[in-house]
Amino acid sequence: MSRHLPIHAGIWLTLAVGACSGGSASTSSSTSALPPTTSVEIVESLVVPEPIGLTAGAASRSVLPTVTNGRAFVSDAPGWGGPDPSDVFDPDNPGVYVPEWDQGQIDVGNGASDAVWVHDDLRVSALAMEYGDEQVILVSADVYMVFSPDADEIAKRAHDALPAEWRDAPVLVAATHNHHGPDTAFSVNDEWYELFATEAVGAVVDAVAALQPATLEVASGEHRFGVNDTRDPVVIDPNLRLLIARRAGTPDVIGSVVQWANHPETTLGWTPPGVSKSKLAQICVEQRWAADDCSAEGRYLTADYPGAMREIVQRELGGEVLYLNGAIGSQVGPGSAPTWLIDAAHPIGDGWTVPGDAFPLGLCESPDPYFCQSFAKTEAIGRQLANAVLKLAETTTPLDVAGLKVRRQEFFTRLTNVGFRVLIADGDLGWKPPTVYTCGAGQLDESNCTGEEGRREDDPILTPLTGSQVTTGDVIKSRLVHLDLGDVGFLFMPGELPPEMVIGLPSDFDTTPEKYYRDDLDLHAVGPEYDIPGYLLSLVDESTTFTVGLGTEELGYFVPISDYRLRCIDAVLPDGSTCDDLFAGGFIEFPEAVAGATCQAIADDPLTVTLYPDEVGPALVAVCRYGQAIGREIGEPEGHYEETNAAGWNLVDDLWTAATQLFEREGTGRINPDNPGYTPENPPPTG
């Protein structure tokens, strides 16, 4: 389970929030007829340029921090073993110990401070494509998240480094959402981020330099192993998509793009037992870790299962491999998914059901050994994903490229999570500061919103408690981006969307909702009450869409307002008000929480507060203001952790409006009649 937990001034403000290159490409050409002329005499011969077909190039670079300006230590990292599944590697070894980095202290994205072990390499990979006068560069990085100002800075630096004819090419940067890479969100080492940006730009430049005539192939399938949904309703997007760029006229692979949906957090919260007590004690003294902080938990760097998958696919197919994550919100990951040693006697089957007498991948304190964490589980998820990719590679069909058209739809959304405003005010969100906007009453758009970078003000609760201010503005701008290749597209989504917003709710969701809920039904909106405006794939007009989560942005979890609950906190209420009184009076919907719809009504129209008794209105405003940001400190409402890691309760509706504008069409509703539910033969829930 993801836990984005930045510690800020004593309280939790929980929020969402050695180079190697390979070349690529292909060209098809034809000669156009001369245009008609009205002149009787042709004074000069017209030379019509031959249309340029597709070219492609790919490259990657390491983004690990360095030691004495190099990464020689990677050769000692354990990695993922050899090509044979039976190859033995130590599943408990956190990696090679690195006492000190050139860049100083490196904190782990969703781990701890002081990363000192490296298990395997972290990469940033780029695929550049050109077709006629259209260009695009896809970038995937083994990092936690990349906010839009940081993605834009990387793109700007890439443009400055590229040949003149490439300086307007869209550069689309996505994070794999790796929870064990250097922190790119809340505890950023600026010197390392400069290194990361430099390596990303280097990979882009290398990819463009490697352009060559290319052809594209595509395949789609489904894959279910090591993945489940931990928040109700349980909806999973099992789609696996593959794009392969080959050198024209040859089987040689320039690069592959793999898109699947699963959090890379296989060992999150796990303490590697592979370091002896004596060695760990020595390291703790050397690193000056306190006795109660003497642990290897969260202090190692790994690319998680995307790295294991990439290594196998590269070995078998060649070329570079870009992994793009999908709809992983609310929250889809390996934590509640069983894994086992897959062999002829214990096949993968439906991916969820453990065969009888299957061997667990390790032993732990869990009552069910099939849920034990270790690098064996990580490797198994990566290997089985690689096997599925390689099978898909045998079924690809040629893609008739119609162009490389990139469209983006920007939109404004309100930062209802005041914790975001604290972090932005303190300069603790990402690498480059985002612009926050103040907007007038009514619609949030360019005509109604003014950017106020750097403006801050005191908060009546948080400033006395933490010493921090908040941004004056409470609105941020984001975007949805679509790359159109013809009958294949890429949709870059700005955060962790729930699968139901991408593939739609199952066909029987409203008639048998209990099938999709593990928890008590009163903990969530159920059936028809679980209202989303539609699903994104109902808007596209292409056969295959690579749906990219954390694509050029990360706004956290997208939870529909119909399922929002914000913790009621007595400590932030005006004197004389209590959460018990608010509930007893029917002013909040739950004993410990207010519904998102109530907060939205108050925020959208401040006059709504006047409809409540004098002492109630200010209390509701306080609950809505602080319920997300500090609800986690005292315990978020059961089953509603994700709201504390979301920029705001309007995310789903604001994104949907932007999507309908981008594609210029309305959706077909929230239910997808072609989505049968879990399948095959209907697991989960498990875990």
Side-chain angles (χ1 to χ4, degrees):
M1 177 181 297
S2 300
R3 288 281 166 179
H4 313 298
L5 301 176
I7 301 177
H8 195 283
I11 68 167
W12 294 107
L13 291 178
T14 316
L15 303 174
V17 209
C20 169
S21 67
S24 325
S26 166
T27 339
S28 63
S29 63
S30 62
T31 303
S32 300
L34 293 178
T37 177
T38 57
S39 173
V40 176
E41 179 183 5
I42 300 178
V43 177
E44 182 178 354
S45 297
L46 298 179
V47 179
V48 179
E50 186 177 88
I52 300 173
L54 180 74
T55 60
S60 73
R61 293 192 175 195
S62 176
V63 297
L64 286 169
T66 60
V67 176
T68 61
N69 298 315
R71 301 184 177 93
F73 56 84
V74 176
S75 62
D76 295 324
W80 304 109
D84 191 317
S86 64
D87 288 345
V88 176
F89 77 105
D90 184 353
D92 298 327
N93 180 6
V96 58
Y97 173 59
V98 182
E100 186 176 355
W101 306 106
D102 291 340
Q103 294 76 31
Q105 178 175 311
I106 302 292
D107 294 347
V108 178
N110 204 182
S113 61
D114 297 329
V116 298
W117 286 279
V118 174
H119 183 272
D120 52 277
D121 199 6
L122 307 177
R123 311 291 295 180
V124 58
S125 305
L127 174 66
M129 295 184 288
E130 184 173 35
Y131 184 81
D133 60 355
E134 294 178 328
Q135 302 159 326
V136 70
I137 303 168
L138 307 182
V139 179
S140 174
D142 292 330
V143 297
Y144 194 27
M145 54 189 74
V146 178
F147 297 107
S148 57
D150 304 338
D152 292 344
E153 178 66 19
I154 291 171
K156 176 182 178 298
R157 295 187 182 194
H159 289 150
D160 291 343
L162 286 168
E165 61 270 21
W166 275 81
R167 290 183 181 171
D168 292 324
V171 179
L172 306 179
V173 182
T176 66
H177 201 32
N178 175 28
H179 285 53
H180 279 92
D183 195 351
T184 52
F186 310 115
S187 181
V188 174
N189 178 311
D190 288 337
E191 189 174 344
W192 171 80
Y193 214 118
E194 286 281 352
L195 176 67
F196 164 46
T198 298
E199 300 290 14
V201 169
V204 167
V205 171
D206 291 346
V208 171
L211 284 168
Q212 56 189 295
T215 57
L216 297 182
E217 303 169 7
V218 67
S220 298
E222 293 187 350
H223 179 63
R224 305 172 181 83
F225 182 76
V227 58
N228 211 329
D229 187 359
T230 63
R231 174 177 169 134
D232 288 344
V234 179
V235 181
I236 297 165
D237 179 4
N239 286 291
L240 174 63
R241 302 177 178 99
L242 173 65
L243 180 79
I244 299 179
R246 297 186 189 270
R247 187 160 60 91
T250 79
D252 298 342
V253 173
I254 294 165
S256 303
V257 181
V258 176
Q259 187 262 300
W260 190 51
N262 194 9
H263 265 82
E265 56 177 23
T266 312
T267 56
L268 184 63
W270 170 70
T271 302
V275 184
S276 68
K277 290 183 178 180
S278 60
K279 179 62 175 177
L280 182 59
Q282 177 185 341
I283 291 173
C284 291
V285 171
E286 184 174 330
Q287 296 294 327
R288 299 182 180 179
W289 296 337
D292 61 355
D293 193 33
C294 184
S295 171
E297 179 185 338
R299 285 192 161 112
Y300 50 87
L301 300 176
T302 172
D304 207 276
Y305 73 82
M309 178 276 298
R310 177 176 58 226
E311 188 173 299
I312 296 171
V313 173
Q314 282 184 306
R315 189 164 55 228
E316 297 297 322
L317 293 184
E320 299 293 347
V321 177
L322 283 71
Y323 179 74
L324 302 175
N325 230 317
I328 58 175
S330 305
Q331 55 181 305
V332 174
S336 62
T339 54
W340 61 94
L341 181 62
I342 292 177
D343 54 26
H346 310 92
I348 193 170
D350 61 22
W352 287 313
T353 305
V354 181
D357 300 324
F359 295 99
L361 296 172
L363 298 176
C364 61
E365 296 180 359
S366 170
D368 190 335
Y370 298 109
F371 290 87
C372 290
Q373 292 174 290
S374 74
F375 287 116
K377 180 170 185 172
T378 310
E379 194 273 348
I381 295 173
R383 180 174 294 278
Q384 296 310 317
L385 177 58
N387 289 344
V389 169
L390 295 174
K391 288 180 181 178
L392 272 187
E394 298 174 354
T395 67
T396 57
T397 58
L399 172 61
D400 184 11
V401 178
L404 301 172
K405 184 178 181 180
V406 175
R407 296 175 297 162
R408 57 192 290 155
Q409 183 67 48
E410 295 184 330
F411 65 94
F412 291 92
T413 193
R414 197 172 298 280
L415 294 174
T416 67
N417 191 335
V418 72
F420 266 79
R421 296 170 62 190
V422 171
L423 289 173
I424 295 172
D426 283 352
D428 290 337
L429 190 69
W431 182 38
K432 300 297 180 181
T435 298
V436 183
Y437 294 80
T438 296
C439 303
Q443 188 170 340
L444 303 182
D445 57 28
E446 294 285 354
S447 65
N448 197 33
C449 297
T450 303
E452 298 185 342
E453 185 174 325
R455 290 193 60 187
R456 302 178 300 176
E457 62 188 15
D458 287 346
D459 180 89
I461 297 293
L462 299 178
T463 299
L465 184 62
T466 70
S468 293
Q469 294 182 302
V470 301
T471 59
T472 302
D474 65 347
V475 174
I476 200 165
K477 184 194 289 186
S478 189
R479 69 278 190 111
L480 191 68
V481 182
H482 182 251
L483 166 62
D484 185 357
L485 287 79
D487 198 35
V488 171
F490 288 74
L491 184 59
F492 286 75
M493 309 176 298
E496 300 170 61
L497 275 68
E500 54 267 31
M501 195 176 175
V502 175
I503 63 172
L505 287 164
S507 55
D508 61 347
F509 183 81
D510 285 350
T511 55
T512 58
E514 65 280 357
K515 172 180 168 184
Y516 298 97
Y517 289 78
R518 291 194 190 98
D519 299 332
D520 293 339
L521 294 183
D522 61 359
L523 295 182
H524 294 279
V526 176
E529 294 181 358
Y530 185 78
D531 188 27
I532 57 175
Y535 60 98
L536 294 173
L537 290 186
S538 69
L539 301 177
V540 303
D541 59 0
E542 58 219 13
S543 297
T544 302
T545 304
F546 289 65
T547 50
V548 186
L550 290 90
T552 80
E553 179 71 291
E554 163 65 314
L555 297 177
Y557 290 111
F558 284 62
V559 177
I561 190 70
S562 61
D563 198 37
Y564 241 87
R565 294 190 189 182
L566 296 89
R567 180 62 187 256
C568 187
I569 308 162
D570 282 335
V572 305
L573 299 182
D575 290 343
S577 295
T578 69
C579 296
D580 286 344
D581 290 342
L582 291 175
F583 179 67
F587 302 114
I588 61 176
E589 292 79 2
F590 313 100
E592 79 291 358
V594 61
T598 296
C599 291
Q600 186 179 47
I602 292 172
D604 288 350
D605 183 3
L607 292 178
T608 302
V609 175
T610 63
L611 302 177
Y612 294 95
D614 290 346
E615 70 280 4
V616 172
L620 289 177
V621 170
V623 172
C624 295
R625 181 178 178 87
Y626 300 107
Q628 284 181 264
I630 61 177
R632 175 64 183 96
E633 172 65 12
I634 64 173
E636 70 271 4
E638 184 180 355
H640 289 266
Y641 154 75
E642 289 75 18
E643 287 91 318
T644 67
N645 282 270
W649 56 63
N650 296 121
L651 285 179
V652 166
D653 290 335
D654 289 344
L655 179 69
W656 179 256
T657 298
T660 59
Q661 293 169 346
L662 176 66
F663 293 106
E664 299 180 331
R665 67 181 67 186
E666 298 299 322
T668 57
R670 53 195 273 281
I671 300 293
N672 180 359
D674 296 323
N675 179 3
Y678 313 120
T679 69
E681 291 70 59
N682 203 30
T686 59

